[in-house]
Amino acid sequence: MKTHEIRERFTQHFVSRGHEAVPSASLILDDPNLLFVNAGMVPFKPYFLGQQNPPFPNGTATSIQKCVRTLDIEEVGITTRHNTFFQMAGNFSFGQYFKEGAITHAWELLTNSVADGGLGLDPQRLWVTVYLDDDEAADIWHEKIGVPRERIQRLGMEDNYWSMGVPGPCGPCSEIYYDRGPEYGADGGPIADDNRYMEIWNLVFMQNERGEGTGKGNFEILGPLPKKNIDTGMGVERVACLLQGVDNVYETDLLRPVIDTAQELTGARYGEGAPDEDNIRFRVIADHSRTGMMLILDGVTPSNEGRGYILRRLLRRIIRSAKLLGATGATMERFMNTIMDTMTPSYPEIAQNRERILRVALNEEKAFLKTLESGTRLFDEAVEEIKAHSRAKTAKVLSGEKAFELHDTYGFPIDLTLEMASEAGLEVDMEGFDAAMGEQRRRAKADNQAKKHGHADLSLYREWVDEHPTVFTGYEELRSDARVIGLVRDGQKVSEVAEGEEVEVILDQSPLYAESGGQVADRGRLVAGETLLEVNDVQKIGKKLWVHKATVTAGGVDLGHTVSAEVDQQWRHGAVQAHSATHLIHAALRQVLGPTAVQAGSLNRPGYLRFDFNYTEQLTPQQLQEIAAITNQAVDANFAVNTIETSLDEAKAMGAMALFGENYGSQVRVVEMGGPFSIELCGGTHVGSTAQIGPVSVLGESSVGSGARRIEAYSGLEAFRYFSKETALIEGVSRELKVQTEDLPGRIAAMAEKLRAAEKEIETLRKAQLMAKSAEFLGGATQVNGFRVLTVRLPKGTSGGDLRTLATDLRNRAKDEATVIILAAQAGDKLPFIVAATDLAIARGVKSGDIVKRYGEVVDGKGGGKPDMAQGSGSRPEAAEQGFEALKTYLETL
């Protein structure tokens, strides 16, 4: 049975039993505790935590959620069931059915015949586990379902008790296992061998509330929940593995084609008889290709932090594994195309994003292949240094510190380092490497814990979210009479506030826009007689409740009072100009760059906008000019701006663009400008027609990370001011140079060329003067332990290139003696320095790299190089002479 069919059967099974089918949320959600959605229940957390009432009429739902877990990336391919990306099929009950319902639903799907819509698993091969004292679940499994007592096993907190890791709902769980047979391990159920007995479904019975604590079991159970909930998860990949009769989750219909492609590209073979390390690499390629593709699909781009770092790491592990298997060139395009083919039936949106996914992945491959090049050079230098300093009979070892530097600083994978070290006849100090890696992980974990915070206590607002959501009137008017239905001061509900206090005000309706979708919140005021509250921010809670953060500047206000809520009209005018201009720039961008340029974030405040988009190449000046021209042409065309309330499916049929990471309800708002010119899902406020935006001045574009670019622009009056300032500047330069403005580029280019020629001539003369002093410098050399030693501190401003040129010349002039040359020159607050040694000096044991390191210790710097020449830089120029003397003392010991 194909994976796509398993998904369909699961969904249909629960829909036919009254559950509402909920589409998978994006892998990226606005959750402070998660990089990615890592469990099927994550999108439902507000309902389980009691922050919102579930919006499902029957109180039940089902979904097949995209998930990514990356804590154990190194385990991928080693175990038979570990994927970084997986699909969690789940059914959820919010105060409706409980243990018996959940158990019955799961059993029927698993064991009903294929003809009856089930999955057709043999019930005699199913085992279950329950929590230690959960007699209720054990009795249901035995008495209602008919599972023999000997196939029901009990496990403790670590295995069969669930919580979110923070105070909130918790409860025992029951897991369903499939016995794969004696060829996979020992008899005795899941307790005896969890490889033979594969877990395929976990049923969580949320019945208690947990308190503070750490770990899986170190917390207090405070008591029962008011309503009992169900959260279950069936592993789609694991069930596919069983139904397709393959040994592991990497050989199912979704991933096996990638392994086949990898065999073709590398010449290596996968499966029985192949080395274990090769089989693991094939599985890594298959797993990471899918995870990387799905992350890019949901808007992640490679970078050095957060989500982007995880994606970069996954893609680089693919490239590394293919190289270790024997690939000699680029492989990413084939891997990505293969996995997109297998996944598109379940995720049709892949087809529309295929070109963008390829662009991101291929650019990362290109960059990493260059990294491998530079890492290889550093590795070769380290090997040369080790061999030069090691005695013939002594084991040659690459230090753990150097291996970690290659890994951490240069992105050089440790297993590639191990392979290359073996080829070079070296060992790697893995104990030292593991210690350095462990220290880094401890620092990262500590940093993550410092940043991580539990869920904000939104239960304070639940009453209003559920019973009195704010009616937003700001699309139609800028002033509304409203009733004060809530006051919060310092995290506590209050009934009144007085002058001078900071307060959160909740109104039954409001014209003030709450920050969302990149558009900043409205500024405004709440007025009632002599009372005045200045509103400086408006935030949403649960997408339903507007919280006005205000300062009471006059009078006071009580619960139940009626106030006039007024938007600062000038602020709103500037904000809608910028927000509407963002839509036009997005449309212009896609006209110029094509559909692979997709919005990745924005900020709109009065008069200013920035627009981030996924694109891997720097825009040319011509492209930027074209984007600006198309945008302003749309302004000049005075397109009507229409808004349409419709269903999500209808909006997509209209061609409306949706943004990555956004979760839309069943009803959405479509903003259309100029018919097909721009049509997007957007809940923001906008101008009535594009001419109201005024001029748009595109300031430029820049990189904000690998595969991500940013355009910045002014709109309306701010754009006019910018144009005026630029015009005045150009006119001033024209007057100064006494040319017409249209002739400025030519005149400036000619002046710049003259300046470059003059600077080049000065540089040539300066170098000639420096070289002319070579003989004078050599005359100042001293004798130290049979070495001719030349130490020179050169004038300020001497560059590193000058040092190398002079050192080369001096070494050539002194080649007939054992000469050591040490040059230093102050450049700002730094001290660049260089060491050169003649062949005769090297024969006596001098290594320029060693001398550079010793000099660096004195001047607080570091450097490196080869025996004949090495250079570095220090941060204590005042210690230059002290360093010279230290090196002379060192040479006395040779």
Side-chain angles (χ1 to χ4, degrees):
M1 187 182 295
K2 298 295 185 185
T3 303
H4 185 62
E5 184 181 347
I6 295 170
R7 288 166 45 97
E8 289 181 332
R9 284 176 176 266
F10 184 94
T11 301
Q12 185 54 43
H13 176 78
F14 284 100
V15 168
S16 68
R17 287 156 175 78
H19 294 64
E20 180 168 333
V22 179
S24 172
S26 167
L27 285 166
I28 307 166
L29 289 185
D30 185 17
D31 188 316
N33 295 306
L34 296 175
L35 275 179
F36 305 111
V37 170
N38 62 359
M41 56 75 62
V42 169
F44 301 95
K45 279 163 69 172
Y47 316 129
F48 289 131
L49 286 169
Q51 296 168 355
Q52 298 179 37
N53 281 331
F56 316 116
N58 294 333
T60 58
T62 185
S63 71
I64 299 178
Q65 175 61 44
K66 300 180 289 186
C67 301
V68 167
R69 290 182 187 168
T70 58
L71 288 177
D72 302 313
I73 287 178
E74 288 82 3
E75 295 300 311
V76 168
I78 298 174
T79 70
T80 61
R81 57 191 182 277
H82 186 96
N83 288 133
T84 50
F85 172 90
F86 57 96
Q87 302 169 90
M88 187 57 73
N91 57 288
F92 309 91
S93 169
F94 307 97
Q96 303 303 310
Y97 61 80
F98 197 47
K99 292 182 183 179
E100 184 173 333
I103 290 171
T104 302
H105 286 321
W107 187 261
E108 288 175 351
L109 175 61
L110 291 175
T111 61
N112 280 358
S113 69
V114 173
D116 291 334
L119 298 177
L121 292 178
D122 180 358
Q124 301 305 313
R125 303 185 75 165
L126 296 177
W127 289 61
V128 295
T129 61
V130 298
Y131 182 57
L132 287 174
D133 64 1
D134 193 356
D135 295 334
E136 180 186 2
D139 289 343
I140 293 170
W141 278 116
H142 177 63
E143 296 170 8
K144 165 110 179 133
I145 303 300
V147 178
R149 292 282 184 189
E150 59 269 22
R151 294 213 310 268
I152 303 171
Q153 297 184 327
R154 297 181 185 247
L155 295 171
M157 294 284 283
E158 288 291 317
D159 298 293
N160 275 56
Y161 203 91
W162 175 92
S163 80
M164 291 186 191
V166 295
C170 64
C173 54
S174 179
E175 296 174 333
I176 305 174
Y177 292 79
Y178 183 85
D179 179 4
R180 298 198 290 165
E183 63 271 28
Y184 287 95
D187 194 8
I191 290 177
D193 191 325
D194 65 357
N195 182 52
R196 169 176 170 174
Y197 300 89
M198 181 184 285
E199 179 197 343
I200 56 176
W201 206 325
N202 186 16
L203 316 176
V204 176
F205 310 131
M206 292 189 201
Q207 61 189 48
N208 299 319
E209 182 179 0
R210 66 157 279 181
E212 296 285 352
T214 58
K216 287 192 173 182
N218 185 25
F219 54 81
E220 181 183 3
I221 298 175
L222 303 178
L225 291 171
K227 287 184 179 180
K228 296 179 179 180
N229 302 319
I230 287 293
D231 156 31
T232 86
M234 185 193 83
V236 173
E237 279 73 17
R238 295 187 183 187
V239 172
C241 173
L242 298 175
L243 293 179
Q244 293 172 22
V246 295
D247 282 342
N248 57 66
V249 293
Y250 308 100
E251 297 176 11
T252 65
D253 60 315
L254 298 184
L255 295 185
R256 179 62 200 228
V258 184
I259 292 177
D260 294 339
T261 298
Q263 290 188 101
E264 180 185 338
L265 291 172
T266 64
R269 298 269 66 85
Y270 172 79
E272 189 175 346
D276 286 345
E277 59 269 24
D278 281 2
N279 284 335
I280 291 170
R281 287 165 186 153
F282 277 113
R283 294 167 190 156
V284 165
I285 290 170
D287 173 89
H288 289 5
S289 293
R290 178 170 65 169
T291 306
M293 185 273 294
M294 295 300 290
L295 289 178
I296 298 170
L297 175 67
D298 276 10
V300 182
T301 55
S303 69
N304 288 328
E305 59 184 14
R307 298 181 179 107
Y309 175 73
I310 296 295
L311 173 59
R312 169 160 286 166
R313 187 178 174 199
L314 293 170
L315 295 179
R316 291 188 171 192
R317 279 172 61 87
I318 296 169
I319 300 162
R320 167 200 67 205
S321 297
K323 185 174 179 66
L324 292 174
L325 286 170
T328 56
T331 57
M332 190 64 72
E333 184 172 6
R334 288 287 304 279
F335 293 150
M336 284 292 129
N337 275 323
T338 302
I339 197 63
M340 285 191 284
D341 288 344
T342 70
M343 295 296 289
T344 298
S346 293
Y347 301 94
E349 62 269 27
I350 292 172
Q352 288 77 46
N353 290 277
R354 197 172 188 116
E355 185 181 343
R356 178 179 61 82
I357 292 168
L358 278 176
R359 185 191 293 269
V360 171
L362 296 187
N363 274 276
E364 182 63 19
E365 179 179 42
K366 190 184 301 180
F368 185 50
L369 290 175
K370 289 182 181 177
T371 296
L372 284 176
E373 228 175 274
S374 60
T376 301
R377 282 197 299 271
L378 186 72
F379 176 84
D380 290 342
E381 289 176 7
V383 170
E384 184 179 332
E385 186 177 344
I386 292 167
K387 289 186 174 180
H389 287 78
S390 297
R391 295 174 184 167
K393 294 183 180 179
T394 304
K396 298 177 175 64
V397 179
L398 181 71
S399 71
E401 182 182 6
K402 179 62 70 175
F404 181 73
E405 181 186 358
L406 281 163
H407 165 82
D408 192 53
T409 305
Y410 296 91
F412 214 59
I414 184 60
D415 47 0
L416 194 53
T417 299
L418 287 167
E419 181 173 319
M420 292 175 66
S422 176
E423 291 171 357
L426 301 181
E427 297 176 3
V428 178
D429 174 17
M430 286 304 297
E431 188 175 328
F433 175 83
D434 290 340
M437 179 67 79
E439 179 58 32
Q440 184 200 52
R441 284 175 176 159
R442 281 191 291 275
R443 288 195 304 269
K445 187 174 181 180
D447 182 56
N448 187 50
Q449 288 297 329
K451 292 177 181 176
K452 185 175 179 177
H453 57 279
H455 299 273
D457 184 13
L458 301 183
S459 60
L460 177 70
Y461 304 92
R462 177 169 182 183
E463 172 193 344
W464 298 305
V465 171
D466 289 341
E467 306 298 333
H468 303 287
T470 307
V471 176
F472 178 58
T473 60
Y475 292 135
E476 297 82 23
E477 59 190 26
L478 298 179
R479 192 198 72 77
S480 300
D481 288 334
R483 187 166 59 88
V484 177
I485 61 173
L487 295 169
V488 176
R489 183 182 62 215
D490 298 327
Q492 299 293 325
K493 294 180 181 179
V494 294
S495 59
E496 60 182 16
V497 289
E499 186 172 333
E501 293 184 329
E502 302 288 330
V503 62
E504 294 179 353
V505 183
I506 298 163
L507 305 174
D508 62 346
Q509 61 178 11
S510 175
L512 284 91
Y513 183 78
E515 181 178 347
S516 180
Q519 183 177 338
V520 298
D522 277 335
R523 300 282 176 85
R525 62 199 63 82
L526 307 179
V527 182
E530 299 298 319
T531 293
L532 176 62
L533 286 79
E534 293 290 347
V535 178
N536 49 57
D537 191 17
V538 188
Q539 294 293 322
K540 285 184 189 178
I541 291 181
K543 297 187 178 182
K544 293 181 177 181
L545 192 71
W546 269 232
V547 176
H548 304 74
K549 299 186 177 183
T551 302
V552 186
T553 57
V557 68
D558 297 347
L559 271 179
H561 276 187
T562 297
V563 296
S564 174
E566 302 172 1
V567 176
D568 182 325
Q569 296 189 33
Q570 186 175 353
W571 180 275
R572 167 71 75 86
H573 179 64
V576 298
Q577 284 180 312
H579 194 170
S580 299
T582 301
H583 283 238
L584 298 186
I585 285 179
H586 192 189
L589 194 71
R590 290 171 66 80
Q591 281 192 33
V592 174
L593 303 181
T596 59
V598 178
Q599 181 173 352
S602 66
L603 173 69
N604 314 290
R605 64 170 185 256
Y608 168 85
L609 67 93
R610 72 174 188 228
F611 182 86
D612 296 346
F613 57 101
N614 292 327
Y615 201 66
T616 54
E617 299 170 13
Q618 181 179 358
L619 271 60
T620 65
Q622 293 75 20
Q623 287 173 322
L624 209 57
Q625 289 171 9
E626 190 176 355
I627 290 165
I630 292 172
T631 300
N632 282 285
Q633 286 166 6
V635 171
D636 186 60
N638 196 23
F639 291 140
V641 177
N642 300 311
T643 58
I644 305 161
E645 297 279 349
T646 186
S647 68
L648 180 58
D649 289 341
E650 180 62 28
K652 289 180 177 178
M654 294 165 60
M657 290 191 62
L659 302 183
F660 291 117
E662 288 288 333
N663 287 321
Y664 298 97
S666 56
Q667 289 296 114
V668 294
R669 189 168 183 265
V670 178
V671 176
E672 176 193 74
M673 299 182 182
F677 180 81
S678 171
I679 179 167
E680 297 187 29
L681 299 182
C682 182
T685 55
H686 292 279
V687 295
S689 67
T690 56
Q692 295 174 9
I693 296 171
V696 178
S697 172
V698 176
L699 306 177
E701 67 95 37
S702 59
S703 170
V704 288
S706 177
R709 313 292 302 178
R710 170 174 293 170
I711 284 179
E712 295 180 87
Y714 289 134
S715 60
L717 193 56
E718 288 301 317
F720 170 76
R721 289 179 179 135
Y722 173 77
F723 286 134
S724 297
K725 184 180 71 174
E726 292 294 295
T727 300
L729 178 63
I730 291 170
E731 289 176 349
V733 175
S734 297
R735 285 194 300 273
E736 187 68 26
L737 298 181
K738 297 181 173 58
V739 296
Q740 297 295 317
T741 55
E742 60 267 24
D743 297 327
L744 268 180
R747 173 60 66 88
I748 292 172
M751 292 176 67
E753 183 59 36
K754 285 183 180 180
L755 181 60
R756 282 192 293 270
E759 288 175 342
K760 189 175 182 180
E761 185 176 352
I762 292 169
E763 179 68 12
T764 301
L765 289 171
R766 190 179 60 75
K767 283 188 176 181
Q769 289 174 342
L770 191 63
M771 299 296 287
K773 292 185 177 181
S774 288
E776 179 186 333
F777 291 149
L778 282 171
T782 59
Q783 291 293 322
V784 178
N785 192 23
F787 292 103
R788 187 182 186 189
V789 180
L790 174 61
T791 59
V792 181
R793 182 166 183 177
L794 295 161
K796 285 186 179 181
T798 306
S799 69
D802 290 344
L803 289 177
R804 179 172 282 275
T805 300
L806 182 58
T808 302
D809 181 64
L810 290 169
R811 186 183 59 188
N812 290 337
R813 287 172 183 259
K815 64 183 178 181
D816 294 332
E817 296 184 55
T819 305
V820 179
I821 300 153
I822 310 160
L823 309 178
Q826 187 169 348
D829 58 353
K830 297 294 182 182
L831 184 77
F833 54 88
I834 193 165
V835 176
T838 62
D839 290 343
L840 292 173
I842 293 171
R844 287 194 54 196
V846 169
K847 297 289 185 290
S848 295
D850 290 347
I851 296 178
V852 157
K853 289 177 182 176
R854 290 175 181 272
Y855 192 77
E857 290 172 1
V858 179
V859 298
D860 283 353
K862 59 182 180 179
K866 297 183 177 180
D868 61 339
M869 187 173 291
Q871 62 189 103
S873 178
S875 57
R876 290 183 61 219
E878 69 276 8
E881 300 294 339
Q882 181 184 343
F884 291 154
E885 294 305 315
L887 293 185
K888 288 178 182 178
T889 301
Y890 166 69
L891 290 171
E892 289 280 6
T893 66
L894 296 180

